[in-house]
Amino acid sequence: MATPSHRKPLAELVEELLTTHGPLPIVAAGDPVLRQGIEHYDGHLDGALLSRFVEALRVTMHAAPGVGLAAPQVGVPLRIAVIEDPAPVPEEIRLARGRVPQPFRVLVNPSYAPVGTQRAAFFEGCLSVPGWQAVVARPAEVRLTCEDENGRAVDEVFSGWPARIVQHETDHLDGVLYLDRAELRSLSSNQTMAERWTQPTPELAAASLGFELPQASL
C-alpha cells in the first residue's frame, strides 16, 4: 500500500487510515516518511480522533507483534509513539538484558537524554525492517520527557530494555532507523538469529562474525 499523501491535513490523513478495520499497514524502510523531520504534535487531532488513532497504533503493535510503534511507521508524520512490553522471556534473558514488563504508554513529543555513561549492546529489530536484526549499542539508562495522550507531562528515567524501546521509538520520530546506529557486521536474518544467536548477550555473535562490541562507556 502506498503511503498516503502528506500534503493532506493530518486529521484527514488519520481519518483516511482509520477507515481500515483491524491493524494498519506498516510502512517499510525506503519510504520517505521514515526519514522526515516529524512535525511536533500540537493538537492536530481532536480528542476523539486522537483516541481512535492511539487505539489503532496499539492494535497494530500487538498484531505485528512488537513492543513499540511510532506514528511515521503507519505513514503519519506526527511525534506520537506507543510502547508496551509484557516481557515474556526466560529469567536468564531478563537478567542479562534488563527486560521487565512495561505497561501500555503513549509518548507525545518525546525526547530522551542519556543518564550516565554506561552503554549496552544487544540485537535489535524493527517492524519497518522486517526479517532482520542487528546489534545496537545504546545508553543503558535515559531520561524521557514527553506528554501522555491527555497532555500530562512525563519526566521519567528508564533503564535496561525499556530504555532501549524508548530510544528506538523516539528515534523514529527523528527520522532515524536502528540500522543507522547498528554494527552492520552483526546484521542477521531472523532465521539465522533463531539458529545461532539466541544467547542472552551478543558476545558469541561478535566473535563469530568478526566485530567488536562497543565500549561500555559513551
Side-chain angles (χ1 to χ4, degrees):
M1 175 180 174
T3 302
S5 170
H6 298 166
R7 295 176 182 174
K8 296 179 180 178
L10 288 169
E12 183 179 336
L13 171 60
V14 172
E15 286 280 14
E16 181 179 300
L17 279 174
L18 296 182
T19 60
T20 302
H21 296 290
L24 303 174
I26 294 177
V27 171
D31 192 304
V33 72
L34 294 175
R35 294 304 198 175
Q36 295 175 349
I38 301 305
E39 192 167 346
H40 185 89
Y41 180 76
D42 189 19
H44 296 78
L45 314 179
D46 66 33
L49 184 56
L50 177 61
S51 294
R52 290 169 56 210
F53 182 51
V54 164
E55 180 59 22
L57 289 174
R58 183 177 189 174
V59 167
T60 304
M61 175 179 64
H62 287 171
V67 295
L69 188 68
Q73 291 183 275
V74 296
V76 177
L78 283 176
R79 292 189 68 84
I80 297 173
V82 297
I83 64 173
E84 183 177 12
D85 184 15
V89 296
E91 182 72 0
E92 183 183 15
I93 291 178
R94 183 187 70 79
L95 292 174
R97 301 179 186 177
R99 187 169 177 183
V100 294
Q102 283 296 297
F104 179 73
R105 296 171 178 261
V106 181
L107 313 181
V108 178
N109 298 324
S111 62
Y112 67 83
V115 175
T117 60
Q118 195 72 19
R119 289 171 70 82
F122 293 104
F123 275 99
E124 190 171 319
C126 179
L127 298 178
S128 290
V129 190
W132 299 92
Q133 298 182 49
V135 172
V136 184
R138 293 187 181 274
E141 191 171 43
V142 295
R143 178 183 178 186
L144 170 74
T145 54
C146 65
E147 297 175 352
D148 67 13
E149 67 273 34
N150 297 310
R152 291 187 291 256
V154 175
D155 187 340
E156 187 171 343
V157 173
F158 289 77
S159 60
W161 207 258
R164 182 168 296 267
I165 297 171
V166 163
Q167 292 172 77
H168 182 112
E169 299 309 327
T170 302
D171 280 356
H172 271 301
L173 305 179
D174 293 324
V176 175
L177 296 178
Y178 85 99
L179 289 175
D180 300 330
R181 305 190 186 279
E183 169 53 69
L184 290 183
R185 287 186 71 93
S186 71
L187 187 65
S188 302
S189 69
N190 284 350
Q191 180 177 344
T192 301
M193 284 291 304
E195 292 172 352
R196 292 180 178 271
W197 313 133
T198 58
Q199 301 85 13
T201 62
E203 276 78 6
L204 179 59
S208 301
L209 297 175
F211 65 92
E212 293 185 7
L213 290 174
Q215 297 297 313
S217 296
L218 287 168

